[in-house]
Amino acid sequence: MAKSEPESRLPQSSAGEEFQKLVDIMARLRGPGGCPWDREQTLESLRGFVLEETYEVLDAIDRADHDDLRGEIGDLLFEGVFLAQIETDEERFTVADSLRHISDKLVRRHPHVFGAGSGVSTPEQVVEQWEQIKAGEQQSRGEKKALLAGVPKSMPALARANEISARVAAVGFDWARTDDVIAKIEEEVAELREAAAHESRERAAEEMGDLLFSIANLARKLGIEPESALRKANEKFTTRFTALEDVFEQRGASVHDATLDEMENVWQAVKNG
């Protein structure tokens, strides 16, 4: 008797069918007789939820938790549909308009895939071509041709620094070598040290910003997403410090009463354990 084929983990329904189902559910929630909470939401009130869901997606990626990521992507898509439904209710546009917009843009900005070909063959060339096409589109709409105009100011500062440096690098405004960026960081450290010792707090803050911006450039040069790298560092530190607290608790002591040397000794034991 032949073995039956293993059941596929992939959904049997199409993405289009499932997306339309979500759109219909959202319309009902916002419609007459729908959910009072959903009906009272606005674009402004959803800002926090959009940000929260974005970070939950990133957290699942960082943990390589694919089962969790499946659900978190759904939650993030839901926020997009929710925003679009509010706009639909106000008769501004529909989610179909948003989908058409991104599909048309992707085709338009990938002529090397959907067009006759453009000699683009590397990721770096793709980014440069993308920025050139984008600039041409802005110019045709009569908009000011500014490379950094579309970088959202609401982005986390480290992520925004990474995006700014990536955009200017795409047009050739970049250090030639990674070592050049490291040298710049060392220069900024020296300037920060001087400002912290002899100048105002405002001057030190300015130098600190320059240092962080240079570090974001180094991360990009190394192909590292700095926001993700810092999240992982935060998590590593949190895990180790929690373990340090546990050690003191097991001793019947507390970190609040410990000396720096005592905490450092336990920290090294946790770190190397």
Side-chain angles (χ1 to χ4, degrees):
M1 182 176 178
K3 292 183 178 180
S4 60
E5 291 295 324
E7 184 178 352
S8 173
R9 296 182 60 190
L10 296 178
Q12 300 304 308
S13 55
S14 72
E17 291 171 332
E18 294 298 335
F19 194 89
Q20 186 59 55
K21 180 180 177 181
L22 175 59
V23 171
D24 292 342
I25 290 172
M26 190 68 253
R28 182 171 179 180
L29 290 172
R30 289 273 301 177
C35 172
W37 186 89
D38 290 285
R39 285 172 57 83
E40 76 171 3
Q41 297 312 305
T42 65
L43 298 178
E44 291 73 21
S45 71
L46 291 182
R47 285 172 56 91
F49 295 103
V50 173
L51 188 60
E52 178 183 346
E53 297 301 347
T54 299
Y55 281 120
E56 289 181 358
V57 167
L58 295 175
D59 181 63
I61 292 172
D62 289 343
R63 292 183 287 105
D65 189 335
H66 301 289
D67 287 337
D68 196 23
L69 180 59
R70 173 178 52 196
E72 297 300 347
I73 289 174
D75 292 344
L76 185 58
L77 288 171
F78 168 71
E79 295 300 335
V81 169
F82 204 152
L83 292 169
Q85 185 60 49
I86 292 175
E87 295 291 65
T88 300
D89 295 342
E90 297 296 328
E91 299 184 349
R92 296 190 184 102
F93 62 83
T94 70
V95 70
D97 295 322
S98 296
L99 293 171
R100 187 180 309 108
H101 175 82
I102 184 57
S103 294
D104 290 348
K105 181 166 69 172
L106 288 172
V107 171
R108 193 170 61 248
R109 294 189 184 177
H110 289 82
H112 55 293
V113 176
F114 300 103
S118 58
V120 169
S121 59
T122 69
E124 293 76 17
Q125 290 173 332
V126 170
V127 174
E128 182 175 1
Q129 175 183 252
W130 177 283
E131 294 299 338
Q132 290 174 345
I133 295 173
K134 181 178 179 180
E137 292 170 355
Q138 291 174 333
Q139 192 172 30
S140 67
R141 293 194 299 265
E143 298 175 3
K144 183 178 179 181
K145 187 178 178 182
L147 188 64
L148 302 179
V151 183
K153 293 182 179 181
S154 58
M155 287 179 71
L158 187 59
R160 187 166 184 247
N162 184 66
E163 179 64 17
I164 288 171
S165 68
R167 291 199 183 192
V168 298
V171 296
F173 193 72
D174 193 14
W175 284 277
R177 302 175 304 138
T178 300
D179 285 347
D180 296 332
V181 193
I182 295 174
K184 180 62 176 177
I185 289 173
E186 292 170 345
E187 175 188 325
E188 297 295 353
V189 169
E191 292 178 358
L192 176 58
R193 184 180 290 113
E194 177 68 19
H198 304 293
E199 302 183 48
S200 67
R201 181 185 294 268
E202 290 76 15
R203 186 78 179 92
E206 181 182 349
E207 293 298 343
M208 175 64 77
D210 291 344
L211 174 59
L212 291 172
F213 189 83
S214 297
I215 289 173
N217 269 278
L218 177 60
R220 174 190 53 79
K221 201 73 171 173
L222 294 172
I224 297 169
E225 202 281 300
E227 197 77 22
S228 178
L230 185 55
R231 281 198 307 273
K232 291 179 181 179
N234 288 340
E235 187 61 30
K236 181 171 66 175
F237 183 91
T238 300
T239 299
R240 288 177 177 175
F241 195 84
T242 301
L244 178 149
E245 289 180 304
D246 291 342
V247 170
F248 277 95
E249 185 177 345
Q250 292 165 8
R251 295 176 179 177
S254 168
V255 294
H256 299 285
D257 302 318
T259 66
L260 177 58
D261 286 341
E262 289 171 336
M263 286 190 286
E264 179 63 26
N265 289 335
V266 175
W267 175 269
Q268 292 299 327
V270 168
K271 181 179 177 181
N272 299 321

